Amino acid sequence: MRRLRILVLMHPDCVPPDSTDGYTAQQINAWKTEYDVVSTLRAAGHEVRPLGAQEEIKPVRDEIEGFKPHVVFTLLEEFHYEVVYDQHIASYLELMRIPYTGCNPRGLILARGKDLSKTLVHHRRIAVPAFAVFPMRHKVKRPARLALPLIVKSLNLDGSFGISQASIVDTDEKLAERVAFIHERIGTAAIAEQYIEGRELYVGVLGNNRLRVLPVWELKFGSMGGRGARQIATEKVKHDPSYQERLGIEDGPAKDLTPELSGRIQRLAKRIYRTLGLDGYARIDFRLSADGTPYFIEANPNPEIAKSQEFATAARHDGLDYPDLLQRILALGISRAKAGVSLG
């Protein structure tokens, strides 16, 4: 690929330094994705300009008009401190007729709401956990069809925010308490879904029309279940490097899956990707129950792509090194713009 001018959009707190020297692992963890993307693209010879954006759209427009990027690499996961506004940034870039990386606006909307994505995927005869939504300022009453235990989450936040061992509830009283926690502390509606005991599997998908499905990846919980804890991807499991190291939590290729089951899960990931209108790149999350049923949990368009994260490690395992992965993501954004195809 020729030398490009690339504007990288990110949260202002995540604008990375030029070097990681002198920073702790915890500090680096906060901006590792931004650092990896910016430094890798620069090393590939591109002219890269990071821009922190959160409350004003004008700086984005000014950079587009002044810097004249060939493509915008968007790492923004929120705007005005609202995660549901990420689709508006993609829409704005489309209105500015600037190629951008990652998912189109419609795919972001369909994947963001866990209830809507599950409903659409279930309509395609793919297994999903039974669930119910509890809106803000409504009384919590569990539908009779929804059997305990349940896991309670934010309806539209990802990254395991608000998820802890207390998220799994086995009584109606605990359900009401956890829904109240989501409403008051997280500030969103809550979704309570059937808790699937089993393995946590991730499948990366890359592409717009022709799709490349990455190997089935597994989050391995180490010694986490030793003291009666449920093996779920809590905030600490996802974001606390010292906790991960202490318990031996790591991700890697899913072992002991038959080729038939592995292929089936990859085909399901591809069907889900298309059902939700995703493009660019996304990670599809499953729980694999003891009877071998893969349950769709959620889709994550524009997932974390730090070198150490599941998407990049699975791509490397599949023969796609990190610089090549980023080049592929850039090429997908540019080719979508050239094709004049917007799903938004």
PDB file of all heavy atoms in Angstrom, residues 137-163:
ATOM      1  N   ARG A 137     -36.100   3.030  35.637  1.00  0.00           N
ATOM      2  CA  ARG A 137     -37.289   3.524  36.371  1.00  0.00           C
ATOM      3  C   ARG A 137     -38.528   2.650  36.142  1.00  0.00           C
ATOM      4  O   ARG A 137     -39.646   3.147  36.100  1.00  0.00           O
ATOM      5  CB  ARG A 137     -37.585   4.986  35.996  1.00  0.00           C
ATOM      6  CG  ARG A 137     -36.502   5.953  36.491  1.00  0.00           C
ATOM      7  CD  ARG A 137     -36.728   7.373  36.046  1.00  0.00           C
ATOM      8  NE  ARG A 137     -36.488   7.514  34.610  1.00  0.00           N
ATOM      9  CZ  ARG A 137     -35.284   7.638  34.058  1.00  0.00           C
ATOM     10  NH1 ARG A 137     -34.207   7.633  34.815  1.00  0.00           N
ATOM     11  NH2 ARG A 137     -35.157   7.763  32.761  1.00  0.00           N
ATOM     12  N   HIS A 138     -38.313   1.351  35.968  1.00  0.00           N
ATOM     13  CA  HIS A 138     -39.413   0.402  35.892  1.00  0.00           C
ATOM     14  C   HIS A 138     -39.237  -0.639  36.991  1.00  0.00           C
ATOM     15  O   HIS A 138     -38.114  -1.000  37.343  1.00  0.00           O
ATOM     16  CB  HIS A 138     -39.443  -0.309  34.533  1.00  0.00           C
ATOM     17  CG  HIS A 138     -40.040   0.523  33.435  1.00  0.00           C
ATOM     18  ND1 HIS A 138     -39.490   1.713  33.024  1.00  0.00           N
ATOM     19  CD2 HIS A 138     -41.147   0.329  32.658  1.00  0.00           C
ATOM     20  CE1 HIS A 138     -40.220   2.218  32.041  1.00  0.00           C
ATOM     21  NE2 HIS A 138     -41.224   1.397  31.806  1.00  0.00           N
ATOM     22  N   LYS A 139     -40.348  -1.162  37.481  1.00  0.00           N
ATOM     23  CA  LYS A 139     -40.296  -2.202  38.492  1.00  0.00           C
ATOM     24  C   LYS A 139     -39.698  -3.478  37.891  1.00  0.00           C
ATOM     25  O   LYS A 139     -39.978  -3.829  36.752  1.00  0.00           O
ATOM     26  CB  LYS A 139     -41.703  -2.474  39.028  1.00  0.00           C
ATOM     27  CG  LYS A 139     -41.729  -3.444  40.194  1.00  0.00           C
ATOM     28  CD  LYS A 139     -43.140  -3.616  40.730  1.00  0.00           C
ATOM     29  CE  LYS A 139     -43.135  -4.612  41.882  1.00  0.00           C
ATOM     30  NZ  LYS A 139     -44.498  -4.856  42.400  1.00  0.00           N
ATOM     31  N   VAL A 140     -38.880  -4.163  38.679  1.00  0.00           N
ATOM     32  CA  VAL A 140     -38.225  -5.379  38.196  1.00  0.00           C
ATOM     33  C   VAL A 140     -39.106  -6.588  38.494  1.00  0.00           C
ATOM     34  O   VAL A 140     -39.347  -6.919  39.656  1.00  0.00           O
ATOM     35  CB  VAL A 140     -36.848  -5.555  38.860  1.00  0.00           C
ATOM     36  CG1 VAL A 140     -36.207  -6.873  38.414  1.00  0.00           C
ATOM     37  CG2 VAL A 140     -35.943  -4.384  38.525  1.00  0.00           C
ATOM     38  N   LYS A 141     -39.600  -7.204  37.447  1.00  0.00           N
ATOM     39  CA  LYS A 141     -40.389  -8.430  37.603  1.00  0.00           C
ATOM     40  C   LYS A 141     -39.886  -9.440  36.585  1.00  0.00           C
ATOM     41  O   LYS A 141     -39.939  -9.203  35.386  1.00  0.00           O
ATOM     42  CB  LYS A 141     -41.879  -8.141  37.397  1.00  0.00           C
ATOM     43  CG  LYS A 141     -42.757  -9.385  37.560  1.00  0.00           C
ATOM     44  CD  LYS A 141     -44.223  -9.025  37.565  1.00  0.00           C
ATOM     45  CE  LYS A 141     -45.110 -10.275  37.579  1.00  0.00           C
ATOM     46  NZ  LYS A 141     -44.809 -11.188  38.693  1.00  0.00           N
ATOM     47  N   ARG A 142     -39.380 -10.548  37.086  1.00  0.00           N
ATOM     48  CA  ARG A 142     -38.825 -11.580  36.200  1.00  0.00           C
ATOM     49  C   ARG A 142     -39.945 -12.318  35.482  1.00  0.00           C
ATOM     50  O   ARG A 142     -40.869 -12.831  36.114  1.00  0.00           O
ATOM     51  CB  ARG A 142     -37.991 -12.577  37.017  1.00  0.00           C
ATOM     52  CG  ARG A 142     -37.442 -13.747  36.193  1.00  0.00           C
ATOM     53  CD  ARG A 142     -36.485 -14.611  37.013  1.00  0.00           C
ATOM     54  NE  ARG A 142     -37.123 -15.166  38.178  1.00  0.00           N
ATOM     55  CZ  ARG A 142     -37.767 -16.345  38.206  1.00  0.00           C
ATOM     56  NH1 ARG A 142     -37.856 -17.091  37.114  1.00  0.00           N
ATOM     57  NH2 ARG A 142     -38.310 -16.771  39.328  1.00  0.00           N
ATOM     58  N   PRO A 143     -39.894 -12.393  34.134  1.00  0.00           N
ATOM     59  CA  PRO A 143     -40.899 -13.169  33.407  1.00  0.00           C
ATOM     60  C   PRO A 143     -40.822 -14.646  33.805  1.00  0.00           C
ATOM     61  O   PRO A 143     -39.726 -15.171  34.036  1.00  0.00           O
ATOM     62  CB  PRO A 143     -40.501 -12.992  31.933  1.00  0.00           C
ATOM     63  CG  PRO A 143     -39.594 -11.801  31.911  1.00  0.00           C
ATOM     64  CD  PRO A 143     -38.928 -11.750  33.242  1.00  0.00           C
ATOM     65  N   ALA A 144     -41.954 -15.300  33.853  1.00  0.00           N
ATOM     66  CA  ALA A 144     -42.005 -16.703  34.284  1.00  0.00           C
ATOM     67  C   ALA A 144     -41.160 -17.607  33.379  1.00  0.00           C
ATOM     68  O   ALA A 144     -40.603 -18.609  33.833  1.00  0.00           O
ATOM     69  CB  ALA A 144     -43.451 -17.182  34.303  1.00  0.00           C
ATOM     70  N   ARG A 145     -41.031 -17.225  32.103  1.00  0.00           N
ATOM     71  CA  ARG A 145     -40.283 -18.058  31.150  1.00  0.00           C
ATOM     72  C   ARG A 145     -38.776 -18.000  31.379  1.00  0.00           C
ATOM     73  O   ARG A 145     -38.032 -18.804  30.823  1.00  0.00           O
ATOM     74  CB  ARG A 145     -40.576 -17.602  29.715  1.00  0.00           C
ATOM     75  CG  ARG A 145     -40.175 -16.165  29.472  1.00  0.00           C
ATOM     76  CD  ARG A 145     -40.404 -15.695  28.040  1.00  0.00           C
ATOM     77  NE  ARG A 145     -40.190 -14.261  27.936  1.00  0.00           N
ATOM     78  CZ  ARG A 145     -39.002 -13.662  27.938  1.00  0.00           C
ATOM     79  NH1 ARG A 145     -37.902 -14.404  28.030  1.00  0.00           N
ATOM     80  NH2 ARG A 145     -38.890 -12.350  27.843  1.00  0.00           N
ATOM     81  N   LEU A 146     -38.332 -17.035  32.197  1.00  0.00           N
ATOM     82  CA  LEU A 146     -36.899 -16.806  32.366  1.00  0.00           C
ATOM     83  C   LEU A 146     -36.435 -17.471  33.662  1.00  0.00           C
ATOM     84  O   LEU A 146     -36.666 -16.963  34.757  1.00  0.00           O
ATOM     85  CB  LEU A 146     -36.622 -15.304  32.402  1.00  0.00           C
ATOM     86  CG  LEU A 146     -35.183 -14.847  32.115  1.00  0.00           C
ATOM     87  CD1 LEU A 146     -34.707 -15.316  30.753  1.00  0.00           C
ATOM     88  CD2 LEU A 146     -35.080 -13.332  32.218  1.00  0.00           C
ATOM     89  N   ALA A 147     -35.759 -18.620  33.523  1.00  0.00           N
ATOM     90  CA  ALA A 147     -35.366 -19.396  34.698  1.00  0.00           C
ATOM     91  C   ALA A 147     -34.046 -18.893  35.274  1.00  0.00           C
ATOM     92  O   ALA A 147     -33.153 -18.465  34.539  1.00  0.00           O
ATOM     93  CB  ALA A 147     -35.242 -20.874  34.314  1.00  0.00           C
ATOM     94  N   LEU A 148     -33.915 -18.960  36.581  1.00  0.00           N
ATOM     95  CA  LEU A 148     -32.673 -18.640  37.271  1.00  0.00           C
ATOM     96  C   LEU A 148     -31.702 -19.822  37.122  1.00  0.00           C
ATOM     97  O   LEU A 148     -32.144 -20.955  36.928  1.00  0.00           O
ATOM     98  CB  LEU A 148     -32.969 -18.373  38.748  1.00  0.00           C
ATOM     99  CG  LEU A 148     -33.875 -17.158  39.028  1.00  0.00           C
ATOM    100  CD1 LEU A 148     -34.446 -17.234  40.427  1.00  0.00           C
ATOM    101  CD2 LEU A 148     -33.088 -15.861  38.845  1.00  0.00           C
ATOM    102  N   PRO A 149     -30.380 -19.615  37.219  1.00  0.00           N
ATOM    103  CA  PRO A 149     -29.681 -18.338  37.433  1.00  0.00           C
ATOM    104  C   PRO A 149     -29.590 -17.507  36.156  1.00  0.00           C
ATOM    105  O   PRO A 149     -29.669 -18.029  35.038  1.00  0.00           O
ATOM    106  CB  PRO A 149     -28.293 -18.783  37.887  1.00  0.00           C
ATOM    107  CG  PRO A 149     -28.081 -20.094  37.201  1.00  0.00           C
ATOM    108  CD  PRO A 149     -29.435 -20.742  37.151  1.00  0.00           C
ATOM    109  N   LEU A 150     -29.395 -16.191  36.363  1.00  0.00           N
ATOM    110  CA  LEU A 150     -29.271 -15.243  35.265  1.00  0.00           C
ATOM    111  C   LEU A 150     -27.981 -14.447  35.429  1.00  0.00           C
ATOM    112  O   LEU A 150     -27.434 -14.360  36.527  1.00  0.00           O
ATOM    113  CB  LEU A 150     -30.468 -14.271  35.279  1.00  0.00           C
ATOM    114  CG  LEU A 150     -31.864 -14.884  35.177  1.00  0.00           C
ATOM    115  CD1 LEU A 150     -32.920 -13.826  35.458  1.00  0.00           C
ATOM    116  CD2 LEU A 150     -32.082 -15.488  33.795  1.00  0.00           C
ATOM    117  N   ILE A 151     -27.525 -13.867  34.335  1.00  0.00           N
ATOM    118  CA  ILE A 151     -26.415 -12.917  34.409  1.00  0.00           C
ATOM    119  C   ILE A 151     -26.957 -11.564  33.967  1.00  0.00           C
ATOM    120  O   ILE A 151     -27.663 -11.467  32.956  1.00  0.00           O
ATOM    121  CB  ILE A 151     -25.199 -13.360  33.562  1.00  0.00           C
ATOM    122  CG1 ILE A 151     -24.056 -12.352  33.709  1.00  0.00           C
ATOM    123  CG2 ILE A 151     -25.547 -13.618  32.111  1.00  0.00           C
ATOM    124  CD1 ILE A 151     -22.708 -12.843  33.191  1.00  0.00           C
ATOM    125  N   VAL A 152     -26.683 -10.534  34.758  1.00  0.00           N
ATOM    126  CA  VAL A 152     -27.248  -9.202  34.550  1.00  0.00           C
ATOM    127  C   VAL A 152     -26.157  -8.267  34.044  1.00  0.00           C
ATOM    128  O   VAL A 152     -25.086  -8.168  34.641  1.00  0.00           O
ATOM    129  CB  VAL A 152     -27.857  -8.648  35.857  1.00  0.00           C
ATOM    130  CG1 VAL A 152     -28.523  -7.299  35.607  1.00  0.00           C
ATOM    131  CG2 VAL A 152     -28.860  -9.645  36.441  1.00  0.00           C
ATOM    132  N   LYS A 153     -26.436  -7.569  32.939  1.00  0.00           N
ATOM    133  CA  LYS A 153     -25.453  -6.692  32.296  1.00  0.00           C
ATOM    134  C   LYS A 153     -26.114  -5.390  31.883  1.00  0.00           C
ATOM    135  O   LYS A 153     -27.343  -5.284  31.836  1.00  0.00           O
ATOM    136  CB  LYS A 153     -24.895  -7.354  31.019  1.00  0.00           C
ATOM    137  CG  LYS A 153     -24.422  -8.775  31.147  1.00  0.00           C
ATOM    138  CD  LYS A 153     -24.066  -9.310  29.761  1.00  0.00           C
ATOM    139  CE  LYS A 153     -23.667 -10.775  29.780  1.00  0.00           C
ATOM    140  NZ  LYS A 153     -23.398 -11.282  28.428  1.00  0.00           N
ATOM    141  N   SER A 154     -25.260  -4.429  31.512  1.00  0.00           N
ATOM    142  CA  SER A 154     -25.759  -3.241  30.826  1.00  0.00           C
ATOM    143  C   SER A 154     -26.299  -3.654  29.465  1.00  0.00           C
ATOM    144  O   SER A 154     -25.743  -4.529  28.803  1.00  0.00           O
ATOM    145  CB  SER A 154     -24.633  -2.225  30.647  1.00  0.00           C
ATOM    146  OG  SER A 154     -24.988  -1.255  29.676  1.00  0.00           O
ATOM    147  N   LEU A 155     -27.384  -3.007  29.038  1.00  0.00           N
ATOM    148  CA  LEU A 155     -27.996  -3.364  27.761  1.00  0.00           C
ATOM    149  C   LEU A 155     -27.097  -3.011  26.577  1.00  0.00           C
ATOM    150  O   LEU A 155     -27.104  -3.705  25.567  1.00  0.00           O
ATOM    151  CB  LEU A 155     -29.348  -2.648  27.604  1.00  0.00           C
ATOM    152  CG  LEU A 155     -30.140  -2.953  26.333  1.00  0.00           C
ATOM    153  CD1 LEU A 155     -30.479  -4.432  26.250  1.00  0.00           C
ATOM    154  CD2 LEU A 155     -31.404  -2.109  26.275  1.00  0.00           C
ATOM    155  N   ASN A 156     -26.295  -1.936  26.705  1.00  0.00           N
ATOM    156  CA  ASN A 156     -25.557  -1.503  25.520  1.00  0.00           C
ATOM    157  C   ASN A 156     -24.090  -1.161  25.738  1.00  0.00           C
ATOM    158  O   ASN A 156     -23.437  -0.683  24.811  1.00  0.00           O
ATOM    159  CB  ASN A 156     -26.262  -0.302  24.859  1.00  0.00           C
ATOM    160  CG  ASN A 156     -26.617   0.786  25.848  1.00  0.00           C
ATOM    161  OD1 ASN A 156     -25.876   1.027  26.790  1.00  0.00           O
ATOM    162  ND2 ASN A 156     -27.754   1.423  25.643  1.00  0.00           N
ATOM    163  N   LEU A 157     -23.537  -1.404  26.926  1.00  0.00           N
ATOM    164  CA  LEU A 157     -22.097  -1.207  27.118  1.00  0.00           C
ATOM    165  C   LEU A 157     -21.369  -2.519  26.884  1.00  0.00           C
ATOM    166  O   LEU A 157     -21.872  -3.584  27.232  1.00  0.00           O
ATOM    167  CB  LEU A 157     -21.788  -0.711  28.534  1.00  0.00           C
ATOM    168  CG  LEU A 157     -22.218   0.712  28.906  1.00  0.00           C
ATOM    169  CD1 LEU A 157     -21.621   1.093  30.253  1.00  0.00           C
ATOM    170  CD2 LEU A 157     -21.808   1.714  27.856  1.00  0.00           C
ATOM    171  N   ASP A 158     -20.164  -2.420  26.307  1.00  0.00           N
ATOM    172  CA  ASP A 158     -19.357  -3.628  26.136  1.00  0.00           C
ATOM    173  C   ASP A 158     -18.106  -3.505  26.993  1.00  0.00           C
ATOM    174  O   ASP A 158     -18.031  -2.690  27.896  1.00  0.00           O
ATOM    175  CB  ASP A 158     -19.038  -3.878  24.659  1.00  0.00           C
ATOM    176  CG  ASP A 158     -18.370  -2.678  23.996  1.00  0.00           C
ATOM    177  OD1 ASP A 158     -17.834  -1.820  24.723  1.00  0.00           O
ATOM    178  OD2 ASP A 158     -18.387  -2.600  22.755  1.00  0.00           O
ATOM    179  N   GLY A 159     -17.111  -4.335  26.715  1.00  0.00           N
ATOM    180  CA  GLY A 159     -15.884  -4.294  27.503  1.00  0.00           C
ATOM    181  C   GLY A 159     -16.045  -4.821  28.919  1.00  0.00           C
ATOM    182  O   GLY A 159     -15.223  -4.558  29.790  1.00  0.00           O
ATOM    183  N   SER A 160     -17.138  -5.554  29.188  1.00  0.00           N
ATOM    184  CA  SER A 160     -17.412  -6.149  30.503  1.00  0.00           C
ATOM    185  C   SER A 160     -17.657  -5.113  31.601  1.00  0.00           C
ATOM    186  O   SER A 160     -17.593  -5.430  32.783  1.00  0.00           O
ATOM    187  CB  SER A 160     -16.268  -7.086  30.939  1.00  0.00           C
ATOM    188  OG  SER A 160     -16.212  -8.211  30.099  1.00  0.00           O
ATOM    189  N   PHE A 161     -17.937  -3.863  31.221  1.00  0.00           N
ATOM    190  CA  PHE A 161     -18.172  -2.842  32.244  1.00  0.00           C
ATOM    191  C   PHE A 161     -19.436  -3.170  33.039  1.00  0.00           C
ATOM    192  O   PHE A 161     -20.475  -3.484  32.483  1.00  0.00           O
ATOM    193  CB  PHE A 161     -18.267  -1.457  31.603  1.00  0.00           C
ATOM    194  CG  PHE A 161     -16.941  -0.979  31.074  1.00  0.00           C
ATOM    195  CD1 PHE A 161     -16.719  -0.859  29.714  1.00  0.00           C
ATOM    196  CD2 PHE A 161     -15.908  -0.681  31.946  1.00  0.00           C
ATOM    197  CE1 PHE A 161     -15.491  -0.451  29.223  1.00  0.00           C
ATOM    198  CE2 PHE A 161     -14.668  -0.268  31.466  1.00  0.00           C
ATOM    199  CZ  PHE A 161     -14.460  -0.152  30.103  1.00  0.00           C
ATOM    200  N   GLY A 162     -19.287  -3.114  34.370  1.00  0.00           N
ATOM    201  CA  GLY A 162     -20.402  -3.421  35.258  1.00  0.00           C
ATOM    202  C   GLY A 162     -20.577  -4.893  35.539  1.00  0.00           C
ATOM    203  O   GLY A 162     -21.524  -5.282  36.221  1.00  0.00           O
ATOM    204  N   ILE A 163     -19.663  -5.735  35.042  1.00  0.00           N
ATOM    205  CA  ILE A 163     -19.792  -7.180  35.252  1.00  0.00           C
ATOM    206  C   ILE A 163     -18.815  -7.637  36.337  1.00  0.00           C
ATOM    207  O   ILE A 163     -17.618  -7.351  36.269  1.00  0.00           O
ATOM    208  CB  ILE A 163     -19.557  -7.964  33.949  1.00  0.00           C
ATOM    209  CG1 ILE A 163     -20.619  -7.588  32.903  1.00  0.00           C
ATOM    210  CG2 ILE A 163     -19.597  -9.469  34.204  1.00  0.00           C
ATOM    211  CD1 ILE A 163     -20.480  -8.311  31.585  1.00  0.00           C
TER     212      ILE A 163
END
